[in-house]
Amino acid sequence: MIIKTVATNRKAHHDYQITEIFEAGIALFGSEIKSVRDGKVSLSEAYVKADHEELLLVGAHIARYEAASYMGHEPTRPRKLLLHRKEIQFLLGQLAEKGLTVVPLRMYIKERRAKLEIGLARGKKLYDKRDTIMRREQEREIERTLKRH
């Protein structure tokens, strides 16, 4: 099985503490899937919103496909996420809890279909971010000293 990562949300792991990860399909138009396969996707401003028993990907930018007709897609339109009903009910229940949100982590092509990896997350405080950065720098320093010897 070949998985081609198209876009990642690099700020998500910095700004949020990811507790659970889910794989969701995305309802796309024909011109959108062609742009996704070309890698013309940005998840930096994207978030997941609950709306009437379904989840929507809002703010993701999928560039217009040049070879499409003049009736191409809107680049930042909301897109429906396709999950099992039990997963949707679980996520909606968790979203009702204070402090939890769903963030898109990465978009990829799996078996010719576009998939979105979403994470149930809790926002990090500023001191948590500093702690993560400090721990990463310490690990790098340890690696450097081990390579020297």
Side-chain angles (χ1 to χ4, degrees):
M1 176 175 12
I2 299 172
I3 296 177
K4 176 187 169 192
T5 300
V6 178
T8 56
N9 187 354
R10 294 165 64 186
K11 285 182 67 177
H13 288 286
H14 179 70
D15 293 340
Y16 298 98
Q17 177 184 358
I18 310 298
T19 57
E20 280 191 65
I21 294 176
F22 297 91
E23 179 183 70
I26 313 165
L28 297 173
F29 293 143
S31 60
E32 288 177 320
I33 189 64
K34 290 181 179 188
S35 287
V36 168
R37 287 190 180 129
D38 285 346
K40 297 179 179 174
V41 180
S42 173
L43 294 176
S44 61
E45 301 290 321
Y47 61 96
V48 177
K49 179 176 113 177
D51 185 45
H52 302 296
E53 299 292 315
E54 62 184 25
L55 297 174
L56 299 174
L57 176 65
V58 181
H61 186 276
I62 298 177
R64 292 184 191 271
Y65 188 65
E66 287 85 28
S69 69
Y70 68 94
M71 296 289 290
H73 65 274
E74 180 65 32
T76 56
R77 74 174 184 88
R79 294 163 180 94
K80 184 177 177 180
L81 295 181
L82 309 171
L83 290 132
H84 292 285
R85 182 156 314 281
K86 286 182 180 179
E87 292 175 328
I88 292 173
Q89 295 301 326
F90 173 77
L91 287 171
L92 290 175
Q94 294 294 314
L95 285 175
E97 193 176 311
K98 188 177 180 196
L100 290 177
T101 186
V102 179
V103 292
L105 301 175
R106 71 182 179 120
M107 188 180 291
Y108 54 95
I109 303 290
K110 178 180 174 185
E111 297 175 3
R112 301 196 56 198
R113 289 184 166 80
K115 300 286 185 177
L116 184 72
E117 190 174 85
I118 57 175
L120 186 63
R122 176 171 274 118
K124 282 185 182 178
K125 303 280 190 243
L126 182 61
Y127 57 84
D128 289 335
K129 293 179 189 177
R130 286 189 196 131
D131 186 45
T132 304
I133 292 169
M134 187 170 38
R135 194 174 318 120
R136 190 180 321 129
E137 287 176 359
Q138 288 172 350
E139 288 173 4
R140 283 186 190 147
E141 190 62 36
I142 291 170
E143 288 292 322
R144 283 189 204 119
T145 57
L146 289 175
K147 284 183 180 178
R148 287 184 203 148
H149 297 287

